[in-house]
Amino acid sequence: MFTWVPTHKAIAEKLLAYENRQQELIQILKDAGETILNDMDDDGQTIELREIDPFTFFCYIYKYGTEKRLERLRQVARAFNIETMPEDEKGIPSTNPMKVWMFPHEKYRTNDEIKRLWAFFRSALNDQITDESFIDIVSINSVGKTKLTEGLFYISPDKYFPVNSQSRPYLDEVFGIDPNFKNWSDYQKLLNKLKNATEAPFYQLSYDAWVWNRKKTEETPAIPDEEINIENLGKNDPQ
């Protein structure tokens, strides 16, 4: 289990050489079977995607179910000539197929969004992220703290932990750790609390959170139809 960890780390290292070769990354995704790689120009016309950041590259791998995403990960690993071929993908957060990108359409890219994501990627691998750089990236349309921590986990699953819908209740109820954070310093404090609470690696905890949530869902009794408040149907869950 967790045979994907060294593969992810190897891919992340390979990606360092592709900031000026982004169309090659897009071609790797195409060769792996990806077909939804369309952008939008200033006139609102559909065009082919011409640039991509490393986090979004990883996100494209995990927009499908278990078997397909494992095969895609293997195809990507082969494209980079990586020898450590994964046998599983346990604990890796799924990507919302409707929200794969970490950047807006070309029409709305007005402030070097993709260049900033590449710089942040390098900072993440070199342990050089600051509160300022974290807030800057979170401010990019289509990012957000949840998606960013998942992206960080993709590139360094032993250093970063995905704080998402699966892990938040797990952190709170199992470890008594408040999953909310405002900036990079807060996120680092959260990671340190988790390290102090258990010796399990972050990728193990990501999988454990998924298992815990699934078990909890199975144990929750169904609500009889007559007890459902019709007025509340269709309302968004609180964030």
Side-chain angles (χ1 to χ4, degrees):
M1 193 179 291
F2 310 121
T3 55
W4 59 269
V5 172
T7 306
H8 266 228
K9 294 172 72 173
I11 291 174
E13 287 297 321
K14 294 282 187 178
L15 286 172
L16 286 168
Y18 282 81
E19 183 171 3
N20 297 318
R21 301 161 58 189
Q22 295 174 32
Q23 291 197 8
E24 292 180 45
L25 294 181
I26 294 170
Q27 188 59 51
I28 288 174
L29 292 174
K30 289 180 178 179
D31 292 343
E34 184 55 56
T35 58
I36 305 176
L37 288 156
N38 294 325
D39 207 343
M40 181 189 300
D41 65 15
D42 291 341
D43 297 322
Q45 299 299 312
T46 298
I47 59 174
E48 284 195 12
L49 185 66
R50 294 178 290 200
E51 53 185 345
I52 192 170
D53 70 274
F55 299 108
T56 298
F57 182 83
F58 268 105
C59 287
Y60 265 109
I61 300 173
Y62 297 108
K63 57 179 286 191
Y64 296 106
T66 300
E67 292 185 9
K68 192 167 184 177
R69 70 184 196 163
L70 178 57
E71 178 53 33
R72 177 162 289 187
L73 177 59
R74 289 171 174 167
Q75 289 173 308
V76 169
R78 285 192 286 268
F80 285 120
N81 296 315
I82 293 171
E83 295 182 359
T84 53
M85 202 57 57
E87 297 298 328
D88 75 290
E89 36 64 72
K90 303 293 186 183
I92 305 175
S94 297
T95 301
N96 183 335
M98 303 299 293
K99 299 179 180 179
V100 177
W101 292 4
M102 298 276 277
F103 53 85
H105 283 107
E106 181 181 284
K107 179 179 181 179
Y108 304 106
R109 293 200 292 274
T110 59
N111 194 20
D112 293 325
E113 287 85 356
I114 292 179
K115 184 177 181 180
R116 286 153 61 197
L117 283 162
W118 276 98
F120 187 81
F121 167 70
R122 293 178 181 278
S123 295
L125 292 182
N126 294 320
D127 298 317
Q128 295 176 339
I129 297 176
T130 64
D131 280 335
E132 290 74 18
S133 63
F134 184 79
I135 292 172
D136 174 61
I137 296 302
V138 169
S139 72
I140 294 176
N141 185 20
S142 300
V143 180
K145 290 182 291 186
T146 294
K147 201 168 182 180
L148 188 52
T149 60
E150 289 178 344
L152 288 168
F153 179 73
Y154 287 153
I155 67 171
S156 294
D158 51 355
K159 289 198 304 185
Y160 304 115
F161 183 74
V163 182
N164 53 23
S165 60
Q166 292 290 315
S167 66
R168 285 192 188 95
Y170 179 72
L171 289 171
D172 183 22
E173 297 184 35
V174 175
F175 294 107
I177 296 174
D178 184 353
N180 298 303
F181 61 96
K182 295 180 179 179
N183 51 38
W184 181 248
S185 296
D186 286 349
Y187 178 63
Q188 289 295 292
K189 291 176 183 177
L190 185 156
L191 295 183
N192 287 331
K193 287 179 181 179
L194 193 52
K195 289 177 184 177
N196 292 331
T198 174
E199 295 182 355
F202 289 149
Y203 47 84
Q204 169 76 58
L205 295 173
S206 179
Y207 177 67
D208 290 348
W210 178 83
V211 172
W212 180 84
N213 275 279
R214 188 171 184 178
K215 182 178 180 181
K216 189 173 182 180
T217 299
E218 291 173 350
E219 292 176 348
T220 301
I223 302 174
D225 290 344
E226 60 271 17
E227 294 184 13
I228 296 177
N229 186 342
I230 302 299
E231 294 181 357
N232 288 329
L233 291 180
K235 292 185 178 180
N236 293 327
D237 291 333
Q239 297 299 315

